C-alpha cells in the first residue's frame, strides 16, 4: 500500500516543469522514468519514491481549496503548487529527506498527510 506526503508550496508562480527541475536539482536526487503533462511532472527519485510536482491547474487549485480551511496558519491558502511524494515498498529514505529539505529551502512549504495531517514530521517517518 502506498503512502503519500503532500508538500503545499508557495513558489511565486513556478510552472510544474520549473518547480520540478528546481526541486530535484536542489535535492540532488536521481530522476528516472520522467513523465509530464499539462501542469505536472512526475518521476522516480529513489527506490520506492515517486515525486510529482503540480502547479497551475484546476486540480491543484481544488487540492489547495479543500485543505485550506483546516490550516489555521493560512499558509496552505497561499500555496500555488503541490509536491507529492508517493512511497511504497523498500523506500530510499535519504531521497525522501533530500526532497523534503530541498522544498523547504526553496519555498514556504506546508507538509500534510492523511494520517498525521499537518503534524507529519520528516524525523518521525
Amino acid at each position: 500500500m502506498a503512502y503519500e506526503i503532500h508538500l503545499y508550496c508557495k513558489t511565486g508562480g513556478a510552472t510544474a516543469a520549473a518547480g520540478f527541475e528546481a526541486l530535484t536539482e536542489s535535492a540532488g536526487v536521481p530522476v528516472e522514468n520522467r513523465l509530464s503533462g499539462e501542469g505536472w511532472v512526475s518521476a522516480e527519485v529513489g527506490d520506492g519514491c515517486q515525486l510529482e510536482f503540480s502547479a497551475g491547474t484546476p486540480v491543484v487549485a481544488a487540492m489547495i481549496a479543500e485543505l485550506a480551511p483546516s490550516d489555521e496558519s493560512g499558509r496552505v491558502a497561499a500555496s500555488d503548487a503541490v509536491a507529492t511524494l508517493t512511497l511504497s515498498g523498500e523506500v530510499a529514505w535519504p531521497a525522501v529527506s533530500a526532497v523534503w529539505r530541498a522544498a523547504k529551502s526553496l519555498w514556504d512549504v506546508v507538509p500534510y498527510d492523511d494520517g498525521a495531517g499537518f503534524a507529519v514530521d520528516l524525523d518521525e517517518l
Side-chain angles (χ1 to χ4, degrees), residues 13-90:
T15 64
F20 182 87
E21 290 300 325
L23 185 53
T24 54
E25 285 179 20
S26 181
V29 292
V31 175
E32 298 177 5
N33 301 319
R34 180 179 170 147
L35 301 170
S36 62
E38 186 175 338
W40 64 272
V41 179
S42 177
E44 294 172 26
V45 294
D47 290 340
C49 184
Q50 182 82 19
L51 171 63
E52 181 174 313
F53 193 90
S54 305
T57 68
V59 171
V60 171
M63 288 176 71
I64 291 167
E66 182 180 339
L67 194 60
S70 306
D71 174 32
E72 294 177 6
S73 74
R75 292 169 50 219
V76 169
S79 299
D80 57 12
V82 180
T84 302
L85 290 162
T86 303
L87 313 176
S88 63
E90 292 294 319

